[in-house]
């Protein structure tokens, strides 16, 4: 039998997610921008069309089995929470939520309702990450206590960028496109006048709607470390970079400390985005891949990106015999979720796993925006001795919106 699926936020990446579930019955589609969503509406002409997901779920929840969410980050949690409270399985794009609090609530309601969930970190389904995880877990590079992750590194510049400038919020007031319901697009976020700098694509780089490069890519690149090293909640987080009240940081260097996990030792994870990179890269011992994860072990190193990985130093591993694969190949990220919705089976990026991954990503920005090194109490969602962090951990919703 086929699932009855509803799509919420169906343009751009959301369109790909709906198409990933096209083997099922797509019975309802919701988007606040008719033009941006036009191709998906046309592809599924029998699906009922909505602009407000709340109205869609109110009217059709008895017919819907599961939802696919591809909205901008600031409406992931309101849509996901409403659907899951109604008992609907949920696939949601990364990051799982806009705030740390929302991510925790998403994971908790999914667990409480025993729902099948999956976050849209599609790279997780590829063979490359599986083989890299196997190398780390079989101790090919020994014990790992240190990991570095860099994004769009500028190796011709200094390891730490020096440009502290940030763009201001746009001041002109162009008209709202006729096909867009701007109030619904804003959702729970604080009011800002419409501007094409925000919608449909630029929202990722404004604090009111998203979390910049950390929100965009941490869940992809740090998924590998969380998986390989069984990470969950950091115990401390610190970050540096330009801070602006409106625009997300153009570059960030963040450092997280993770505690021991059983027999696994503590780990330091350092993140660099927007040009930065580990200073030791200048020594030439590590290939200068523009985006990469580097595990540093007691017996060697492993560097990886989305599609490749390499043991270092190369001479040491010339005769290395790779361990036999023990992580099964994926049937596909979307298909894994669809099949699990039908069978009750597991998914690899369920909200319990991906909620913690998202929390870790967003905590870097909390540290950056407070300017403080955070001692993190994960159980209570509190930065110890730092009350100014509270406003970034849990945002206040605009009137008319609830979680």
């Amino acid at each position: 039998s086929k699932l009855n699926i509803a799509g919420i936020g169906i343009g751009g990446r959301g369109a790909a997610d709906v198409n990933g579930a096209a083997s099922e019955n797509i019975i309802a589609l919701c988007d606040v921008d008719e033009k941006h969503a036009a191709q998906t509406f046309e592809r599924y002409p029998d699906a009922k069309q909505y602009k407000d997901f709340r109205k869609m779920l109110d009217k059709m929840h008895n017919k819907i089995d599961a939802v696919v969410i591809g909205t901008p980050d600031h409406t992931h949690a309101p849509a996901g929470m409403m659907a899951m409270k109604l008992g609907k399985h949920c696939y949601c794009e990364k990051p799982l939520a806009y705030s740390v609090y929302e991510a925790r609530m998403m994971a908790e309601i999914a667990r409480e309702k025993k729902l099948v969930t999956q976050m849209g970190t599609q790279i997780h389904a590829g063979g490359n990450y599986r083989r890299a995880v196997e190398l780390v877990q079989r101790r090919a590079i020994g014990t790992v206590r240190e990991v570095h992750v860099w994004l769009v590194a500028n190796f011709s510049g200094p390891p730490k960028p020096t440009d502290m400038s940030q763009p201001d919020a746009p001041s002109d007031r162009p008209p709202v496109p006729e096909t867009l319901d701007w109030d619904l697009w804003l959702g729970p976020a604080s009011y800002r006048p419409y501007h094409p700098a925000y919608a449909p694509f630029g929202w990722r780089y404004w604090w009111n709607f998203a979390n910049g490069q950390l929100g965009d890519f941490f869940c992809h690149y740090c998924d590998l470390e969380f998986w390989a090293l069984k990470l969950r909640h950091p115990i401390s987080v610190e970050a540096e970079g330009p801070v602006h009240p409106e625009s997300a940081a153009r570059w960030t260097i963040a450092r997280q400390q993770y505690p021991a996990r059983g027999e696994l030792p503590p780990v330091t994870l350092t993140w660099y985005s927007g040009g930065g990179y580990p200073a030791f890269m200048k020594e030439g011992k590590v290939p200068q891949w523009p985006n990469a994860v580097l595990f540093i072990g007691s017996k060697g190193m492993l560097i990886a990106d989305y599609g490749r990985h390499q043991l270092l130093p190369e001479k040491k591993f010339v005769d290395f015999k790779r361990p036999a694969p023990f992580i099964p190949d994926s049937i596909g990220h979307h298909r894994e979720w669809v099949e699990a919705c039908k069978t009750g089976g597991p998914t690899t990026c369920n909200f319990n796993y991906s909620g913690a991954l998202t929390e870790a990503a967003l905590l870097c920005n909390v540290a950056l925006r407070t300017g403080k090194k955070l001692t993190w109490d994960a159980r209570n969602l509190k930065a110890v001795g730092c009350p100014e962090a509270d406003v970034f951990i849990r945002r206040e919703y605009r009137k008319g919106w609830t979680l």
Side-chain angles (χ1 to χ4, degrees):
S1 61
K2 292 187 176 183
L3 300 171
N4 289 336
I5 291 180
I8 303 172
I10 59 168
R13 183 65 224 166
D17 290 329
V18 172
N19 293 339
S23 60
E24 309 308 298
N25 298 322
I26 308 300
I27 66 166
L29 295 170
C30 178
D31 202 286
V32 300
D33 188 338
E34 296 171 9
K35 181 179 178 181
H36 190 50
Q39 288 187 350
T40 309
F41 281 138
E42 290 171 3
R43 179 167 180 171
Y44 304 98
D46 295 333
K48 292 188 180 299
Q49 299 181 11
Y50 292 87
K51 279 196 171 183
D52 189 332
F53 68 80
R54 298 169 298 181
K55 291 181 179 179
M56 180 186 75
L57 290 171
D58 279 340
K59 292 181 179 180
M60 296 192 65
H61 68 88
N62 287 332
K63 299 179 181 179
I64 294 169
D65 298 314
V67 297
V68 174
I69 299 171
T71 65
D73 297 358
H74 65 289
T75 42
H76 282 183
M81 288 294 290
M82 182 175 181
M84 288 190 289
K85 285 178 180 179
L86 291 168
K88 311 308 171 189
H89 304 302
C90 187
Y91 183 105
C92 184
E93 261 305 322
K94 56 79 201 162
L96 188 58
Y98 168 85
S99 72
V100 175
Y101 174 80
E102 290 174 339
R104 181 67 61 86
M105 293 302 101
M106 291 273 274
E108 288 188 358
I109 193 67
R111 180 173 59 252
E112 176 188 325
K113 295 285 188 177
K114 296 181 172 58
L115 298 171
V116 175
T117 56
Q118 186 91 303
M119 186 172 75
T121 40
Q122 295 82 8
I123 305 302
H124 193 98
N128 180 60
Y129 269 24
R130 281 164 160 71
R131 304 294 83 82
V133 168
E134 290 165 350
L135 288 173
V136 173
Q137 293 188 348
R138 286 291 185 260
R139 304 290 181 95
I141 58 172
T143 301
V144 176
R145 296 176 180 268
E146 182 179 351
V147 184
H148 296 264
V149 188
W150 59 90
L151 179 72
V152 195
N154 176 21
F155 294 114
S156 63
K160 183 169 78 173
T162 57
D163 182 5
M164 302 297 285
S165 66
Q166 286 287 127
D168 294 325
S171 58
D172 56 320
R173 299 290 181 265
V176 179
E178 293 182 359
T179 60
L180 171 65
D181 188 319
W182 181 240
D183 186 69
L184 285 177
W185 190 95
L186 284 171
S190 299
Y191 179 80
R192 298 289 186 276
Y194 165 78
H195 199 280
Y198 303 139
F201 300 112
W203 51 268
R204 290 191 184 280
Y205 299 101
W206 301 95
W207 291 131
N208 198 39
F209 311 118
N211 281 272
Q213 292 176 323
L214 274 156
D216 203 6
F217 290 105
F218 186 103
C219 289
H220 280 312
Y221 282 99
C222 294
D223 175 26
L224 182 56
E225 302 92 280
F226 266 62
W227 190 0
L229 298 172
K230 302 179 181 179
L231 302 180
R232 190 154 179 86
H233 299 296
I235 54 176
S236 71
V237 185
E238 56 189 310
E240 57 184 314
V243 179
H244 189 279
E246 292 287 331
S247 56
R250 284 179 167 173
W251 65 268
T252 306
I253 297 175
R255 183 171 292 104
Q256 300 181 329
Q257 302 290 342
Y258 288 86
R261 288 94 50 229
E263 296 181 354
L264 298 174
V267 171
T268 300
L269 188 158
T270 308
W271 165 274
Y272 315 76
S273 58
Y277 56 90
F280 60 75
M281 298 289 289
K282 291 290 189 182
E283 300 171 7
K285 297 179 180 179
V286 179
Q288 293 187 348
W289 296 2
N291 310 299
V293 175
L294 181 69
F295 296 87
I296 299 180
S298 57
K299 298 179 180 179
M301 297 181 288
L302 174 69
I303 188 171
D305 62 14
Y306 285 176
R308 55 183 172 168
H309 61 272
Q310 182 178 328
L311 290 164
L312 301 170
E314 291 183 81
K315 289 182 180 179
K316 180 176 180 178
F317 291 96
V318 168
D319 298 320
F320 175 77
K321 185 177 180 181
R322 180 180 290 273
F326 61 87
I327 302 174
D329 289 341
S330 173
I331 60 174
H333 203 61
H334 295 91
R335 185 181 170 195
E336 178 184 292
W337 173 71
V338 167
E339 293 304 315
C341 288
K342 296 177 180 180
T343 65
T347 55
T348 52
C349 292
N350 59 72
F351 291 176
N352 180 53
Y353 171 85
S354 57
L357 177 60
T358 296
E359 288 182 29
L362 304 183
L363 280 170
C364 294
N365 279 334
V366 176
L368 176 71
R369 297 177 77 183
T370 59
K372 302 287 183 66
K373 180 178 180 178
L374 307 180
T375 299
W376 183 237
D377 177 356
R379 179 183 295 274
N380 296 303
L381 288 181
K382 283 287 184 181
V384 179
C386 186
E388 57 266 46
D390 291 349
V391 68
F392 302 122
I393 293 167
R394 179 180 182 179
R395 86 178 315 171
E396 182 178 347
Y397 276 14
R398 198 162 60 102
K399 187 178 180 180
W401 291 85
T402 58
L403 192 60

